[in-house]
Amino acid sequence: MIKTPPRTPLHAILRHLTPAQREEFASISGTPVNYLYQLALCWRSSCSSTKAVGIADASVVMAERYGSVAVTADQLGRMCPPKGAV
């Protein structure tokens, strides 16, 4: 099976983690796994700054524990083009 490249840095993190680790990531970030996927796949164009910081902080914890990459709040804010952009 050929996998397509991850769409966003957050998508790369989610792909790296096991299902149990994704649940842990979501718990630490204070949001459900489904919400993380909505952001990662650009089904949501953005999130609040509070959520972005929580996800970024949780990504650092997961990178330290499981060797995934970390994402910054700034990357989260810029990873998906605005709706209607070319």
Side-chain angles (χ1 to χ4, degrees):
M1 175 200 268
I2 298 174
K3 283 190 174 180
T4 59
R7 290 186 183 181
T8 63
L10 182 56
H11 191 210
I13 293 168
L14 293 170
R15 276 191 173 178
H16 178 83
L17 300 174
T18 66
Q21 291 167 346
R22 287 181 207 127
E23 289 291 338
E24 181 181 358
F25 180 34
S27 176
I28 294 168
S29 65
T31 190
V33 172
N34 287 342
Y35 185 81
L36 293 173
Y37 270 105
Q38 289 173 3
L39 291 173
L41 298 174
C42 297
W43 295 339
R44 288 184 176 266
S45 59
S46 64
C47 62
S48 72
S49 58
T50 303
K51 282 196 188 285
V53 169
I55 294 166
D57 290 348
S59 76
V60 171
V61 171
M62 299 309 285
E64 291 171 353
R65 289 182 185 171
Y66 305 110
S68 61
V69 297
V71 66
T72 66
D74 186 58
Q75 286 175 306
L76 289 167
R78 297 172 186 248
M79 69 183 182
C80 297
K83 298 289 183 202
V86 177

